[in-house]
Amino acid sequence: MGSVIDVTIEEGSLTEKKPTVVFVLGGPGSGKGTQCANIVQHFGFTHLSAGDLLRAEIKSGSENGTMIQNMIKEGKIVPSEVTIKLLQKAIQESGNDKFLIDGFPRNEENRAAFEAVTKIEPEFVLFFDCSEEEMERRLLSRNQGREDDNIETIRKRFKVFLESSLPVIEYYNSKEKVRKIDAGKPVEEVFEAVKVIFTSNSEKATV
């Protein structure tokens, strides 16, 4: 199974069609998944969740999946190249040219590796800014049977998010690529703000 993931990218097959990539970042419980579903429906993007791709790989029972599972259990971040190869494979197989990449890059090293390997820079970064109290409340109230939704694990995930992801947001901010959304508001209001960003961006693209 490992060989399926080790896709060697021939002469930049990804760069030929230069897909549009938007990174979606926000703490656990900031509502990224819900808003990504809305963006897919309204703007025709393909939603790639780094976490979902990793979970699917674990489910497949491959050697790679076992390694990923062990790292997640220990609270470690999965090596960049593993996640990037899963993302690349999903991009190539989708047939679309517009992608929301959710929950990635998790840190500066992820970001640099993604750009170096894929030669893709994101169009922009959608950052769902939400207070820790609000995210905690949401995570504890959603009962999706995810074993990682207990208070200790939640706080650990916040800490990892803040320490790892903020440098990524700062980096893209310096390039004026961050679009910050107040994610503490009700879902409909948040999506109104999201729509404005995507509509103005697609207008710019067609100019």
Side-chain angles (χ1 to χ4, degrees):
M1 180 69 194
S3 60
V4 179
I5 289 161
D6 301 329
V7 184
T8 46
I9 306 296
E10 294 300 322
E11 276 308 298
S13 54
L14 273 184
T15 53
E16 283 158 30
K17 58 174 184 177
K18 260 293 187 235
T20 298
V21 166
V22 173
F23 286 147
V24 183
L25 294 176
S30 59
K32 296 193 309 291
T34 304
Q35 296 303 334
C36 283
N38 286 337
I39 296 163
V40 166
Q41 214 177 341
H42 282 77
F43 296 101
F45 276 71
T46 294
H47 175 209
L48 299 177
S49 156
D52 287 352
L53 288 171
L54 290 167
R55 280 190 278 274
E57 191 61 25
I58 290 168
K59 264 204 181 125
S60 75
S62 70
E63 199 179 314
N64 207 41
T66 307
M67 183 261 301
I68 293 166
Q69 187 171 25
N70 291 336
M71 293 200 76
I72 290 172
K73 265 190 191 147
E74 290 164 26
K76 292 179 182 165
I77 284 183
V78 176
S80 297
E81 64 271 19
V82 173
T83 309
I84 292 166
K85 279 180 179 164
L86 291 172
L87 286 167
Q88 266 187 328
K89 188 166 163 275
I91 286 172
Q92 285 177 309
E93 289 174 354
S94 92
N96 197 355
D97 61 351
K98 298 190 294 188
F99 299 91
L100 297 172
I101 296 184
D102 165 13
F104 186 90
R106 292 244 169 155
N107 55 32
E108 259 299 285
E109 191 259 336
N110 275 178
R111 179 199 68 70
F114 182 86
E115 290 189 11
V117 171
T118 64
K119 306 287 183 282
I120 296 168
E121 265 202 48
E123 190 74 16
F124 58 88
V125 176
L126 196 59
F127 173 39
F128 288 100
D129 193 20
C130 194
S131 74
E132 194 166 321
E133 296 72 29
E134 176 61 19
M135 289 192 280
E136 203 170 282
R137 190 185 64 72
R138 289 176 184 180
L139 286 174
L140 290 171
S141 67
R142 74 173 190 197
N143 195 4
Q144 296 179 336
R146 275 184 49 181
E147 60 192 48
D148 54 359
D149 282 353
N150 64 60
I151 195 77
E152 290 79 21
T153 315
I154 287 169
R155 289 191 173 147
K156 202 186 291 177
R157 285 163 70 204
F158 285 147
K159 192 166 178 287
V160 169
F161 170 73
L162 285 172
E163 288 171 1
S164 310
S165 299
L166 285 182
V168 176
I169 290 159
E170 281 160 12
Y171 171 84
Y172 284 120
N173 210 19
S174 71
K175 297 188 142 212
E176 297 183 352
K177 285 193 170 211
V178 175
R179 309 286 180 270
K180 189 156 107 170
I181 298 273
D182 177 356
K185 292 181 174 170
V187 173
E188 296 75 20
E189 282 181 47
V190 173
F191 188 52
E192 285 308 315
V194 167
K195 275 202 290 204
V196 169
I197 289 167
F198 277 85
T199 306
S200 67
N201 202 69
S202 60
E203 280 165 5
K204 257 191 294 188
T206 54
V207 171

Short mmCIF file of all heavy atoms in Angstrom, two decimals, residues 24-25 29-43 45 47 100 102 126-129 138 181-195 198:
data_model
loop_
_atom_site.label_atom_id
_atom_site.label_comp_id
_atom_site.label_asym_id
_atom_site.label_seq_id
_atom_site.Cartn_x
_atom_site.Cartn_y
_atom_site.Cartn_z
N VAL A 24 -7.22 26.65 4.87
CA VAL A 24 -8.23 27.00 5.86
C VAL A 24 -7.68 26.66 7.24
O VAL A 24 -7.43 25.50 7.55
CB VAL A 24 -9.55 26.23 5.62
CG1 VAL A 24 -10.62 26.66 6.61
CG2 VAL A 24 -10.04 26.44 4.18
N LEU A 25 -7.47 27.69 8.06
CA LEU A 25 -6.89 27.48 9.38
C LEU A 25 -7.81 28.02 10.46
O LEU A 25 -8.53 29.00 10.25
CB LEU A 25 -5.52 28.16 9.49
CG LEU A 25 -4.39 27.61 8.62
CD1 LEU A 25 -3.13 28.45 8.77
CD2 LEU A 25 -4.09 26.15 8.96
N GLY A 29 -12.77 23.32 16.63
CA GLY A 29 -14.07 23.84 17.06
C GLY A 29 -14.36 25.24 16.53
O GLY A 29 -15.37 25.84 16.87
N SER A 30 -13.49 25.75 15.65
CA SER A 30 -13.72 27.11 15.12
C SER A 30 -14.74 27.11 13.98
O SER A 30 -15.11 28.16 13.47
CB SER A 30 -12.41 27.74 14.64
OG SER A 30 -11.81 26.94 13.64
N GLY A 31 -15.20 25.92 13.56
CA GLY A 31 -16.25 25.84 12.55
C GLY A 31 -15.73 25.68 11.13
O GLY A 31 -16.47 25.88 10.17
N LYS A 32 -14.47 25.30 10.99
CA LYS A 32 -13.87 25.15 9.66
C LYS A 32 -14.65 24.17 8.79
O LYS A 32 -14.95 24.45 7.64
CB LYS A 32 -12.42 24.64 9.75
CG LYS A 32 -11.46 25.55 10.45
CD LYS A 32 -10.01 25.11 10.22
CE LYS A 32 -9.72 23.66 10.51
NZ LYS A 32 -9.77 23.27 11.91
N GLY A 33 -14.98 23.01 9.35
CA GLY A 33 -15.63 21.96 8.58
C GLY A 33 -16.98 22.41 8.02
O GLY A 33 -17.28 22.22 6.84
N THR A 34 -17.76 23.04 8.87
CA THR A 34 -19.09 23.53 8.46
C THR A 34 -18.95 24.54 7.33
O THR A 34 -19.67 24.48 6.32
CB THR A 34 -19.76 24.23 9.67
OG1 THR A 34 -19.81 23.30 10.75
CG2 THR A 34 -21.16 24.71 9.33
N GLN A 35 -18.02 25.49 7.49
CA GLN A 35 -17.87 26.54 6.47
C GLN A 35 -17.29 25.99 5.18
O GLN A 35 -17.65 26.42 4.09
CB GLN A 35 -17.02 27.70 7.02
CG GLN A 35 -17.65 28.42 8.20
CD GLN A 35 -19.05 28.98 7.90
OE1 GLN A 35 -19.38 29.26 6.75
NE2 GLN A 35 -19.86 29.11 8.93
N CYS A 36 -16.39 25.02 5.30
CA CYS A 36 -15.83 24.40 4.09
C CYS A 36 -16.93 23.75 3.27
O CYS A 36 -16.96 23.86 2.04
CB CYS A 36 -14.76 23.36 4.44
SG CYS A 36 -13.18 24.11 4.90
N ALA A 37 -17.88 23.09 3.96
CA ALA A 37 -19.00 22.44 3.26
C ALA A 37 -19.81 23.50 2.50
O ALA A 37 -20.23 23.29 1.35
CB ALA A 37 -19.88 21.71 4.26
N ASN A 38 -20.02 24.68 3.12
CA ASN A 38 -20.76 25.76 2.46
C ASN A 38 -20.00 26.28 1.24
O ASN A 38 -20.59 26.57 0.21
CB ASN A 38 -20.95 26.93 3.44
CG ASN A 38 -22.01 26.63 4.49
OD1 ASN A 38 -22.87 25.80 4.27
ND2 ASN A 38 -21.93 27.29 5.63
N ILE A 39 -18.68 26.42 1.37
CA ILE A 39 -17.86 26.95 0.26
C ILE A 39 -17.89 25.97 -0.92
O ILE A 39 -18.00 26.38 -2.08
CB ILE A 39 -16.40 27.20 0.73
CG1 ILE A 39 -16.37 28.30 1.80
CG2 ILE A 39 -15.51 27.60 -0.45
CD1 ILE A 39 -15.07 28.34 2.62
N VAL A 40 -17.82 24.68 -0.61
CA VAL A 40 -17.88 23.65 -1.66
C VAL A 40 -19.19 23.79 -2.44
O VAL A 40 -19.21 23.80 -3.66
CB VAL A 40 -17.77 22.23 -1.03
CG1 VAL A 40 -18.16 21.14 -2.01
CG2 VAL A 40 -16.35 21.99 -0.52
N GLN A 41 -20.28 23.93 -1.69
CA GLN A 41 -21.61 24.02 -2.30
C GLN A 41 -21.77 25.27 -3.16
O GLN A 41 -22.30 25.22 -4.26
CB GLN A 41 -22.65 24.04 -1.18
CG GLN A 41 -23.92 23.34 -1.54
CD GLN A 41 -24.88 23.34 -0.35
OE1 GLN A 41 -24.48 23.53 0.79
NE2 GLN A 41 -26.15 23.14 -0.63
N HIS A 42 -21.28 26.39 -2.65
CA HIS A 42 -21.52 27.67 -3.34
C HIS A 42 -20.46 28.03 -4.38
O HIS A 42 -20.75 28.74 -5.32
CB HIS A 42 -21.60 28.82 -2.32
CG HIS A 42 -22.91 28.87 -1.61
ND1 HIS A 42 -23.24 27.99 -0.60
CD2 HIS A 42 -23.98 29.69 -1.78
CE1 HIS A 42 -24.46 28.28 -0.17
NE2 HIS A 42 -24.94 29.31 -0.86
N PHE A 43 -19.23 27.58 -4.17
CA PHE A 43 -18.14 28.08 -5.03
C PHE A 43 -17.40 26.98 -5.79
O PHE A 43 -16.41 27.24 -6.46
CB PHE A 43 -17.15 28.92 -4.21
CG PHE A 43 -17.77 30.17 -3.64
CD1 PHE A 43 -18.16 30.21 -2.30
CD2 PHE A 43 -18.00 31.28 -4.42
CE1 PHE A 43 -18.75 31.35 -1.77
CE2 PHE A 43 -18.59 32.42 -3.90
CZ PHE A 43 -18.97 32.46 -2.57
N PHE A 45 -15.51 24.46 -4.92
CA PHE A 45 -14.19 23.98 -4.50
C PHE A 45 -14.27 22.52 -4.09
O PHE A 45 -15.34 22.01 -3.74
CB PHE A 45 -13.69 24.79 -3.28
CG PHE A 45 -13.03 26.08 -3.64
CD1 PHE A 45 -13.77 27.16 -4.12
CD2 PHE A 45 -11.66 26.25 -3.48
CE1 PHE A 45 -13.16 28.36 -4.45
CE2 PHE A 45 -11.04 27.44 -3.80
CZ PHE A 45 -11.79 28.50 -4.29
N HIS A 47 -13.03 20.07 -1.13
CA HIS A 47 -12.56 20.22 0.24
C HIS A 47 -11.63 19.06 0.60
O HIS A 47 -12.03 17.90 0.56
CB HIS A 47 -13.78 20.23 1.17
CG HIS A 47 -13.44 20.27 2.63
ND1 HIS A 47 -14.25 19.72 3.59
CD2 HIS A 47 -12.36 20.76 3.29
CE1 HIS A 47 -13.70 19.90 4.78
NE2 HIS A 47 -12.56 20.52 4.62
N LEU A 100 -9.87 23.62 -1.21
CA LEU A 100 -9.76 24.12 0.16
C LEU A 100 -8.94 23.09 0.91
O LEU A 100 -9.33 21.92 0.97
CB LEU A 100 -11.14 24.19 0.82
CG LEU A 100 -12.18 25.11 0.23
CD1 LEU A 100 -13.51 24.85 0.92
CD2 LEU A 100 -11.77 26.57 0.40
N ASP A 102 -7.84 22.06 4.43
CA ASP A 102 -8.33 22.37 5.78
C ASP A 102 -7.41 21.71 6.82
O ASP A 102 -7.10 20.53 6.73
CB ASP A 102 -9.77 21.83 5.81
CG ASP A 102 -10.36 21.69 7.19
OD1 ASP A 102 -9.80 22.23 8.14
OD2 ASP A 102 -11.41 21.04 7.29
N LEU A 126 -7.62 31.39 4.70
CA LEU A 126 -8.86 31.74 5.40
C LEU A 126 -8.65 31.36 6.86
O LEU A 126 -8.49 30.18 7.18
CB LEU A 126 -10.00 30.94 4.78
CG LEU A 126 -11.42 31.39 5.08
CD1 LEU A 126 -11.66 32.82 4.61
CD2 LEU A 126 -12.42 30.45 4.40
N PHE A 127 -8.62 32.36 7.73
CA PHE A 127 -8.33 32.10 9.14
C PHE A 127 -9.57 32.35 9.99
O PHE A 127 -10.08 33.46 10.08
CB PHE A 127 -7.17 33.01 9.59
CG PHE A 127 -6.89 32.96 11.08
CD1 PHE A 127 -6.96 31.75 11.79
CD2 PHE A 127 -6.53 34.11 11.77
CE1 PHE A 127 -6.71 31.71 13.16
CE2 PHE A 127 -6.26 34.07 13.13
CZ PHE A 127 -6.35 32.87 13.83
N PHE A 128 -10.09 31.26 10.57
CA PHE A 128 -11.26 31.35 11.44
C PHE A 128 -10.80 31.66 12.86
O PHE A 128 -10.28 30.79 13.56
CB PHE A 128 -12.07 30.05 11.40
CG PHE A 128 -12.79 29.86 10.11
CD1 PHE A 128 -12.29 29.03 9.12
CD2 PHE A 128 -13.96 30.56 9.85
CE1 PHE A 128 -12.94 28.88 7.91
CE2 PHE A 128 -14.64 30.41 8.64
CZ PHE A 128 -14.12 29.58 7.67
N ASP A 129 -10.97 32.91 13.24
CA ASP A 129 -10.49 33.39 14.54
C ASP A 129 -11.62 33.23 15.56
O ASP A 129 -12.69 33.80 15.40
CB ASP A 129 -10.10 34.87 14.38
CG ASP A 129 -9.30 35.36 15.57
OD1 ASP A 129 -8.74 34.52 16.29
OD2 ASP A 129 -9.24 36.59 15.77
N ARG A 138 -18.06 24.56 22.13
CA ARG A 138 -18.57 23.85 20.95
C ARG A 138 -18.11 22.39 20.94
O ARG A 138 -18.87 21.49 20.61
CB ARG A 138 -18.09 24.53 19.67
CG ARG A 138 -18.75 25.87 19.42
CD ARG A 138 -18.12 26.51 18.19
NE ARG A 138 -18.64 27.84 17.94
CZ ARG A 138 -18.24 28.60 16.92
NH1 ARG A 138 -17.31 28.16 16.08
NH2 ARG A 138 -18.74 29.80 16.74
N ILE A 181 -11.57 35.83 9.65
CA ILE A 181 -13.03 35.78 9.86
C ILE A 181 -13.28 35.69 11.36
O ILE A 181 -12.62 34.91 12.05
CB ILE A 181 -13.60 34.51 9.20
CG1 ILE A 181 -13.36 34.50 7.68
CG2 ILE A 181 -15.06 34.30 9.54
CD1 ILE A 181 -14.40 35.19 6.88
N ASP A 182 -14.24 36.45 11.85
CA ASP A 182 -14.65 36.31 13.25
C ASP A 182 -15.55 35.09 13.35
O ASP A 182 -16.73 35.14 13.01
CB ASP A 182 -15.39 37.58 13.70
CG ASP A 182 -15.89 37.46 15.14
OD1 ASP A 182 -15.72 36.37 15.74
OD2 ASP A 182 -16.45 38.44 15.66
N ALA A 183 -14.96 33.98 13.80
CA ALA A 183 -15.68 32.70 13.78
C ALA A 183 -16.50 32.46 15.05
O ALA A 183 -17.11 31.41 15.22
CB ALA A 183 -14.68 31.56 13.58
N GLY A 184 -16.54 33.44 15.94
CA GLY A 184 -17.33 33.29 17.17
C GLY A 184 -18.81 33.59 16.93
O GLY A 184 -19.64 33.34 17.78
N LYS A 185 -19.13 34.11 15.75
CA LYS A 185 -20.52 34.49 15.44
C LYS A 185 -21.32 33.27 15.01
O LYS A 185 -20.75 32.22 14.72
CB LYS A 185 -20.51 35.53 14.32
CG LYS A 185 -19.92 36.86 14.75
CD LYS A 185 -19.95 37.86 13.61
CE LYS A 185 -19.49 39.23 14.11
NZ LYS A 185 -19.29 40.16 12.99
N PRO A 186 -22.65 33.42 14.89
CA PRO A 186 -23.47 32.29 14.41
C PRO A 186 -23.05 31.87 13.00
O PRO A 186 -22.54 32.69 12.22
CB PRO A 186 -24.89 32.87 14.40
CG PRO A 186 -24.84 34.03 15.34
CD PRO A 186 -23.45 34.58 15.28
N VAL A 187 -23.31 30.61 12.68
CA VAL A 187 -22.87 30.00 11.42
C VAL A 187 -23.25 30.84 10.20
O VAL A 187 -22.43 31.06 9.31
CB VAL A 187 -23.47 28.57 11.28
CG1 VAL A 187 -23.18 27.98 9.92
CG2 VAL A 187 -22.90 27.67 12.36
N GLU A 188 -24.50 31.33 10.15
CA GLU A 188 -24.97 32.07 8.97
C GLU A 188 -24.18 33.35 8.79
O GLU A 188 -23.82 33.72 7.67
CB GLU A 188 -26.47 32.42 9.08
CG GLU A 188 -27.41 31.24 9.13
CD GLU A 188 -27.40 30.52 10.49
OE1 GLU A 188 -26.98 31.15 11.50
OE2 GLU A 188 -27.80 29.34 10.53
N GLU A 189 -23.91 34.04 9.90
CA GLU A 189 -23.16 35.30 9.82
C GLU A 189 -21.73 35.05 9.37
O GLU A 189 -21.17 35.81 8.58
CB GLU A 189 -23.15 36.00 11.18
CG GLU A 189 -24.43 36.72 11.51
CD GLU A 189 -24.36 37.40 12.86
OE1 GLU A 189 -23.35 38.10 13.13
OE2 GLU A 189 -25.30 37.24 13.66
N VAL A 190 -21.16 33.97 9.87
CA VAL A 190 -19.79 33.63 9.47
C VAL A 190 -19.75 33.37 7.97
O VAL A 190 -18.86 33.84 7.27
CB VAL A 190 -19.26 32.39 10.26
CG1 VAL A 190 -17.90 31.95 9.74
CG2 VAL A 190 -19.16 32.72 11.76
N PHE A 191 -20.75 32.65 7.47
CA PHE A 191 -20.73 32.33 6.03
C PHE A 191 -20.94 33.58 5.17
O PHE A 191 -20.39 33.68 4.08
CB PHE A 191 -21.76 31.25 5.67
CG PHE A 191 -21.61 30.79 4.24
CD1 PHE A 191 -20.37 30.37 3.77
CD2 PHE A 191 -22.68 30.80 3.36
CE1 PHE A 191 -20.20 29.96 2.44
CE2 PHE A 191 -22.53 30.40 2.04
CZ PHE A 191 -21.28 29.98 1.58
N GLU A 192 -21.71 34.54 5.68
CA GLU A 192 -21.86 35.80 4.92
C GLU A 192 -20.49 36.45 4.72
O GLU A 192 -20.16 36.93 3.63
CB GLU A 192 -22.81 36.77 5.66
CG GLU A 192 -24.28 36.39 5.55
CD GLU A 192 -24.77 36.16 4.12
OE1 GLU A 192 -24.45 36.98 3.24
OE2 GLU A 192 -25.46 35.14 3.88
N ALA A 193 -19.68 36.46 5.77
CA ALA A 193 -18.34 37.04 5.69
C ALA A 193 -17.46 36.23 4.74
O ALA A 193 -16.67 36.78 3.96
CB ALA A 193 -17.71 37.09 7.09
N VAL A 194 -17.61 34.91 4.78
CA VAL A 194 -16.84 34.02 3.89
C VAL A 194 -17.21 34.29 2.44
O VAL A 194 -16.34 34.39 1.57
CB VAL A 194 -17.12 32.53 4.25
CG1 VAL A 194 -16.60 31.59 3.17
CG2 VAL A 194 -16.50 32.19 5.61
N LYS A 195 -18.52 34.44 2.19
CA LYS A 195 -19.00 34.67 0.81
C LYS A 195 -18.38 35.93 0.22
O LYS A 195 -17.99 35.96 -0.94
CB LYS A 195 -20.53 34.78 0.79
CG LYS A 195 -21.21 33.42 0.70
CD LYS A 195 -22.62 33.51 0.14
CE LYS A 195 -23.57 34.17 1.09
NZ LYS A 195 -24.97 33.77 0.87
N PHE A 198 -14.79 35.15 -0.92
CA PHE A 198 -14.68 34.30 -2.12
C PHE A 198 -15.24 35.00 -3.35
O PHE A 198 -14.73 34.83 -4.45
CB PHE A 198 -15.36 32.95 -1.89
CG PHE A 198 -14.47 31.98 -1.18
CD1 PHE A 198 -14.38 31.99 0.21
CD2 PHE A 198 -13.68 31.09 -1.88
CE1 PHE A 198 -13.53 31.12 0.88
CE2 PHE A 198 -12.82 30.22 -1.22
CZ PHE A 198 -12.75 30.24 0.16
#
